[in-house]
Amino acid sequence: MANYNLKINGQNLKTEASPDTPLLWILRDHLGLVGTKYGCGMAQCGACTVHVNGEATRSCVLPVSAIADATITTIEGLSENGDHPVQQAWDTIDVPQCGYCQAGQIMTAAAFLKKNAKPNLEEIEAAMSSNICRCGTYHRIKEAVQLAATKM
Amino acid sequence: MTKNNSRRDFLKSAALTSSGLILGFNWFGQEALAAEVVAGVSTEAGNTAFNAFLSIQTDGIVTIFSPNPEIGQGIKTAFPIIVAEELDVDWANVKVLQAPLDTKKFERQVAGGSGSIPHSWQRLRKAGATARQMLVEAAAKRWGVSASDCTTEKSFVIHTASGKKLGYGELATEAAKITPPTDVKLKDKKDFKLIGSTIKGVDNKAILTGKSLFGIDFHREGMVYSMIQRPPAFGLKLKSFDATAAKVSPGIIDVVSFKDKVAIVGKSTWEVKKARDLVKIEWEKANTLESSDDHNRIFKELLDGTKNEVRRKDGDIETAFKDAAKIVEAEYQCPFLPHNPMEPMNFFAHVREDGVELVGPTQTPQNAQNQTAKLLNIPAEKVTVELTRMGGGFGRRLGTDYVLEAAELSSIIKAPVKVMWTREDDMGGGSYRPAVRYRFRAALDKQGNLIGYSLRGAGINAGNPTRQDNFPAGAVPNLLIDSSEHKSAITTGPWRAPITNFLAFAEQSFIDEVATAAGKDAVQFRLELLEKAKTAPTGAIKYDIDRMKAVIELAAEKSGWGKKKKGVSLGFSVYFSHASYVAQVAEVVMKKGKPVLQKIYAAVDCGVVVNQSGARNQVMGGIIDGIGHAMYGNLTFKDGKPEQMNFNTFRLIKMNEIPAIEVTFVNNGIDPTGLGEPALPPTGGSVANAIFKATGKRLRNQPFIEQDDKMFESVS
């Protein structure tokens, strides 16, 4: 067990955990930030995507010991009032079915649009195709990313 | 998670003094609507009123409780739309809350069989209409006018002649004192404003900002976590285990065993997961350890066997085949499939001296309640079930194995516990869609008329793997449908559109084969059969011929069927399931020698569409589900053990693999029928039939990619 001081959503949060604990479980079990979801535990589905220093990162395979002083943003901290252009676009297009994967989809899309503000359709598909949506909301995700791009 | 929705809390807040009321309607009862009126409830009361279905606060906010489990089918939005429509309330003033299981207040709190809307349609409408009528009467009384001279619009009662208006919030207290009408008039469907419009999901904001919504998110102060090691192969049982190392692993509280399982109990998910790997377990054989090769052999034996149960028999099949000018024969097979909801199984249970609290994702809360009560030998009313939103279900959460496990564990360790499943636990410990193999034969006369048709199904734990009364039954003078099954130790269960999720593909592909053999157009061939079913039916016909014909014609029209489009191959499919009709045309083009699915046109008759946005989401999602599993879905077994345990080996469809989808609803005003499932069954057939047109290759087994992986490096 070791103590960690993590920079998450603009706050300094302390926790004690074994060094191999994935960030995902630190967020969910230790800090009560349950917006980041468990899907596969092996970086295959993208449900656990968060931003680490602005990069979309799979938190289920990132040990807490590897975080050091990196800045972490989760879905809870993406915007103050849930009004990030990607969140708004997701609502406008009414993307979710079950909604479980959508935090990961949104975090992936937000990091992607920050780097590529005017993506074409192929670029969107390339960026989003490693996030699984079992309900099949892919058309709306594509549409929402396009809409968000016009607002960022 | 609403933590205050206990009966005691309800009474407590009901005792608060402030204005407003809760109209408690028993809208499921025969004599309906003996209202239970609780006046003097604060504006917070909506959250606590589990004894009521619909509350109106003095500020005009209407709280509607949605009783059915939400698995992504949109029921938590659709049910309140129906109530709000008849209430004539401004949707902006509606607050929706998930109701817990309450068998006294609600009927059929189930997410399954695409049955929620059809079952509750009239009841929901009556609930809204009754409240509306009471509000109208309260206003009329205050104005001293006749109720029949008043109308309602967007949360106001209006006296037509004078133009006087009163808001629902202002009228609520008086309205609650009025005897609820027993025979209330429902709206004419043409006057619907909310029903049929486009309404966003009521949980969108919570979903998009990462609020605690799902079962896996639930947390109770003092609860412990558990992961359970279950037998790693179907047919094994627990022989012995050594938990010495696990018990001293950090964060571990206890290791206990029950029913061939070893449960690790600890302070966090990660700690119990790590400790589980340290338990040394010996398993022993309790049953046959089946492999997929065994199933292939068993299917052949069953299909060639003589012990088939006849499901439907019309005319004289033997003579028809003896007289046939042409005989078409083919066999179709699919593998096992896991449900793979994105949220793996999990459940919270707290078994106390005075009762049991269950919280989590279940499609059948009442089964969870009853079976838990039976397991613990206590009365059902001692078990409460709070419904969380579910990260998908697809039928997996119709089972209660994971609920009972949590309850049993809590009863052993005497603590509130959340049992967590890893993805591997979930995929490896499923209640799978079983593999099945179908054998078809068709007899054609010289003119290409279908004079004989037989289908034999060989299933696993499926009961009857056919739907004997489905099309083309009724349209063929000589027909035989029979089946047999193998009992396996592998656990199986309903998977989105049970049976028909593959049967439809097989039937609609085979019909295509028969049409091709008859030298007829696929659409024309089906229409001719329907015409025969109408004018000269054979036996009972359990589908609506005109509704099926209408979706066939609509899909054909939308897709430009019969018109030559250069380089484009079209495939047709139509299916009736869950009381709805869906026809599809798939468009395939060849790119670099490979078939690429570029579009699917879907014509859907589910009667009245409650919510355009939700309905389109269901149809498109169902089609993508259908494509994905037909293309890639494959769960195989080796010695009783699933060979795919996570998404690195089990392939789910991704964004770059989907075609464009155009959905058209038939607007026929018929009371709504199911929509969570019916769009899936016809999908595999339309795709395979288009691929046959494009390549000449007939795909008879799923997943397609296993049939010819060179052909399908990508479908996008």
Side-chain angles (χ1 to χ4, degrees):
Chain A
M1 299 294 266
N3 289 306
Y4 295 95
N5 196 352
L6 304 169
K7 286 186 212 159
I8 300 174
N9 300 334
Q11 285 182 288
N12 285 317
L13 299 172
K14 285 186 176 45
T15 191
E16 193 191 10
S18 74
D20 61 352
T21 311
L23 173 61
L24 169 69
W25 298 112
I26 298 286
L27 293 171
R28 293 187 57 83
D29 288 358
H30 294 231
L31 304 173
L33 293 168
V34 294
T36 305
K37 296 294 191 264
Y38 168 75
C40 67
M42 58 189 308
Q44 292 288 313
C45 74
C48 67
T49 305
V50 299
H51 296 172
V52 178
N53 289 333
E55 296 278 343
T57 303
R58 303 287 161 95
S59 66
C60 72
V61 291
L62 179 66
V64 64
S65 58
I67 295 168
D69 60 352
T71 303
I72 292 155
T73 307
T74 70
I75 186 73
E76 291 92 343
L78 184 62
S79 63
E80 196 130 317
N81 303 307
D83 55 359
H84 185 282
V86 173
Q87 288 168 310
Q88 287 184 327
W90 246 251
D91 181 50
T92 303
I93 304 294
D94 194 24
V95 173
Q97 283 188 35
C98 84
Y100 191 80
C101 75
Q102 300 297 349
Q105 304 274 4
I106 287 169
M107 295 310 280
T108 303
F112 164 66
L113 288 174
K114 207 158 189 184
K115 285 188 184 161
N116 185 348
K118 301 231 175 318
N120 61 34
L121 214 51
E122 277 107 60
E123 289 168 334
I124 293 174
E125 285 183 1
M128 300 302 300
S129 280
S130 49
N131 283 67
I132 295 172
C133 172
R134 176 69 179 83
C135 300
T137 62
Y138 295 130
H139 291 94
R140 291 190 185 191
I141 291 173
K142 239 191 282 193
E143 237 184 291
V145 175
Q146 286 175 289
L147 175 63
T150 67
K151 304 278 167 71
M152 280 181 79
Chain B
M1 230 55 51
T2 51
K3 283 187 182 159
N4 299 327
N5 54 0
S6 71
R7 188 177 298 263
R8 202 179 53 198
D9 288 337
F10 166 64
L11 292 173
K12 203 160 52 186
S13 54
L16 293 173
T17 51
S18 104
S19 47
L21 85 157
I22 290 169
L23 302 176
F25 297 121
N26 174 20
W27 23 280
F28 295 133
Q30 275 302 319
E31 69 284 46
L33 322 171
E36 179 181 355
V37 180
V38 185
V41 175
S42 76
T43 50
E44 289 300 307
N47 292 329
T48 58
F50 83 88
N51 199 21
F53 299 88
L54 186 163
S55 73
I56 301 172
Q57 297 171 185
T58 46
D59 59 1
I61 297 292
V62 174
T63 300
I64 299 174
F65 284 89
S66 190
N68 281 30
E70 174 62 67
I71 51 172
Q73 84 279 43
I75 210 69
K76 197 173 170 185
T77 305
F79 267 18
I81 287 173
I82 300 169
V83 177
E85 173 70 68
E86 292 287 351
L87 183 60
D88 244 354
V89 65
D90 185 345
W91 184 248
N93 293 339
V94 171
K95 191 167 86 181
V96 176
L97 290 178
Q98 177 72 55
L101 174 70
D102 191 332
T103 52
K104 292 196 179 75
K105 300 289 188 313
F106 303 109
E107 265 187 23
R108 202 190 180 278
Q109 278 181 277
V110 174
S114 296
S116 295
I117 295 275
H119 184 86
S120 297
W121 171 245
Q122 288 297 336
R123 292 176 172 83
L124 294 162
R125 293 180 71 192
K126 273 186 188 161
T130 304
R132 177 190 166 276
Q133 185 59 33
M134 291 161 79
L135 290 157
V136 166
E137 284 175 25
K141 212 166 146 192
R142 204 192 280 188
W143 291 327
V145 301
S146 162
S148 60
D149 291 335
C150 300
T151 59
T152 52
E153 197 183 337
K154 282 201 164 185
S155 301
F156 283 93
V157 181
I158 301 158
H159 182 235
T160 321
S162 67
K164 278 189 282 199
K165 277 170 92 171
L166 277 170
Y168 284 2
E170 300 165 74
L171 291 164
T173 312
E174 288 158 63
K177 291 172 189 154
I178 286 167
T179 309
T182 50
D183 186 23
V184 74
K185 193 173 177 296
L186 300 178
K187 279 187 182 177
D188 194 320
K189 284 174 183 147
K190 71 173 169 32
D191 297 326
F192 284 164
K193 294 181 195 96
L194 278 175
I195 291 174
S197 67
T198 299
I199 293 179
K200 295 188 286 194
V202 294
D203 277 342
N204 274 9
K205 177 104 185 178
I207 290 168
L208 306 177
T209 54
K211 296 282 181 301
S212 171
L213 271 177
F214 299 91
I216 202 169
D217 302 339
F218 181 79
H219 185 265
R220 170 66 47 80
E221 210 48 50
M223 86 178 186
V224 294
Y225 295 78
S226 177
M227 276 196 192
I228 295 176
Q229 183 60 56
R230 304 166 190 86
F234 294 93
L236 288 182
K237 65 176 185 177
L238 182 66
K239 189 180 174 196
S240 65
F241 72 100
D242 173 4
T244 316
K247 279 185 175 173
V248 296
S249 189
I252 298 310
I253 297 165
D254 204 356
V255 178
V256 299
S257 173
F258 60 98
K259 290 184 182 147
D260 290 314
K261 302 167 191 201
V262 179
I264 292 82
V265 181
K267 291 177 184 164
S268 74
T269 309
W270 184 249
E271 286 167 324
V272 294
K273 183 180 184 297
K274 271 175 65 181
R276 186 171 66 168
D277 295 339
L278 302 174
V279 184
K280 293 187 194 108
I281 305 182
E282 265 193 90
W283 306 97
E284 64 185 338
K285 207 171 141 181
N287 210 323
T288 319
L289 303 178
E290 291 176 0
S291 300
S292 292
D293 288 345
D294 298 323
H295 298 145
N296 293 336
R297 175 182 47 79
I298 288 164
F299 285 149
K300 194 176 178 325
E301 287 165 10
L302 289 174
L303 289 173
D304 292 337
T306 51
K307 285 180 190 152
N308 286 284
E309 191 170 335
V310 173
R311 306 290 176 180
R312 176 164 173 149
K313 193 171 188 294
D314 295 324
D316 175 4
I317 193 90
E318 272 144 42
T319 308
F321 277 92
K322 212 163 63 198
D323 295 346
K326 209 179 225 180
I327 291 173
V328 189
E329 292 173 301
E331 292 186 13
Y332 288 79
Q333 188 175 323
C334 69
F336 279 76
L337 287 181
H339 298 78
N340 282 336
M342 288 310 290
E343 178 191 12
M345 297 307 106
N346 65 83
F347 227 82
F348 170 85
H350 189 191
V351 178
R352 304 177 313 253
E353 286 292 309
D354 61 338
V356 178
E357 183 188 13
L358 299 175
V359 184
T362 169
Q363 294 178 243
T364 52
Q366 196 176 349
N367 285 352
Q369 181 189 52
N370 286 334
Q371 291 169 21
T372 299
K374 202 173 154 199
L375 172 80
L376 301 174
N377 198 22
I378 54 171
E381 56 269 24
K382 290 276 182 197
V383 181
T384 63
V385 188
E386 185 178 330
L387 310 184
T388 62
R389 196 179 175 87
M390 277 171 267
F394 311 101
R396 177 62 182 89
R397 295 187 230 268
L398 287 166
T400 55
D401 53 314
Y402 62 100
V403 184
L404 299 178
E405 237 177 33
E408 187 157 9
L409 179 58
S410 178
S411 77
I412 293 167
I413 62 173
K414 303 198 182 333
V417 61
K418 182 159 75 169
V419 176
M420 306 279 290
W421 293 49
T422 62
R423 175 59 58 195
E424 288 81 3
D425 294 340
D426 193 276
M427 211 181 290
S431 60
Y432 307 103
R433 187 280 299 271
V436 62
R437 190 172 179 91
Y438 295 110
R439 174 177 290 171
F440 292 90
R441 296 182 80 217
L444 293 164
D445 69 10
K446 276 191 189 125
Q447 288 77 43
N449 295 307
L450 182 59
I451 54 168
Y453 179 92
S454 76
L455 161 62
R456 172 168 290 176
I460 297 174
N461 300 347
N464 175 9
T466 75
R467 290 290 179 266
Q468 64 276 1
D469 296 318
N470 262 0
F471 179 82
V476 193
N478 309 291
L479 173 139
L480 176 65
I481 315 277
D482 61 11
S483 70
S484 59
E485 72 164 336
H486 164 69
K487 290 279 186 201
S488 171
I490 299 169
T491 49
T492 60
W495 191 101
R496 194 178 196 175
I499 308 294
T500 60
N501 58 50
F502 181 75
L503 175 64
F505 158 76
E507 289 179 348
Q508 287 295 306
S509 297
F510 184 67
I511 282 283
D512 212 66
E513 294 199 54
V514 178
T516 305
K520 291 182 181 174
D521 173 78
V523 168
Q524 212 45 49
F525 189 65
R526 286 171 173 86
L527 290 175
E528 280 172 21
L529 284 168
L530 283 176
E531 190 56 29
K532 194 167 276 174
K534 186 148 199 178
T535 54
T538 304
I541 294 177
K542 298 196 174 166
Y543 49 91
D544 186 308
I545 294 164
D546 293 332
R547 290 179 78 176
M548 189 175 281
K549 187 165 171 251
V551 290
I552 291 174
E553 287 172 342
L554 184 61
E557 179 210 319
K558 291 287 172 187
S559 64
W561 185 269
K563 290 175 198 147
K564 274 246 177 284
K565 283 196 254 184
K566 202 165 175 259
V568 177
S569 301
L570 301 183
F572 199 87
S573 180
V574 62
Y575 216 69
F576 165 62
S577 79
H578 302 87
S580 292
Y581 299 80
V582 179
Q584 288 181 15
V585 175
E587 247 182 33
V588 164
V589 295
M590 297 301 283
K591 278 184 190 163
K592 296 178 189 161
K594 294 177 195 304
V596 173
L597 176 61
Q598 67 173 15
K599 186 163 183 179
I600 286 188
Y601 299 85
V604 181
D605 176 0
C606 59
V608 170
V609 172
V610 175
N611 178 9
Q612 285 288 338
S613 184
R616 278 172 202 279
N617 235 344
Q618 285 311 298
V619 174
M620 293 173 84
I623 290 171
I624 290 170
D625 199 353
I627 296 167
H629 284 95
M631 280 298 303
Y632 313 118
N634 196 19
L635 187 86
T636 55
F637 290 89
K638 182 73 185 160
D639 300 327
K641 188 174 167 23
E643 294 183 291
Q644 296 76 24
M645 300 281 279
N646 206 321
F647 299 134
N648 58 337
T649 46
F650 190 93
R651 183 171 170 186
L652 286 173
I653 192 166
K654 294 186 174 171
M655 184 191 278
N656 59 351
E657 294 160 339
I658 56 163
I661 297 174
E662 185 180 317
V663 182
T664 310
F665 290 104
V666 173
N667 188 10
N668 57 15
I670 294 171
D671 282 356
T673 50
L675 199 56
E677 291 160 287
L680 188 151
T683 306
S686 70
V687 175
N689 292 339
I691 288 170
F692 173 74
K693 282 261 189 66
T695 66
K697 184 169 170 65
R698 176 60 66 183
L699 296 163
R700 297 193 181 90
N701 298 331
Q702 289 184 2
F704 299 160
I705 197 150
E706 296 287 322
Q707 305 309 301
D708 190 340
D709 60 354
K710 285 202 184 77
M711 180 155 105
F712 293 113
E713 270 165 27
S714 171
V715 280
S716 68

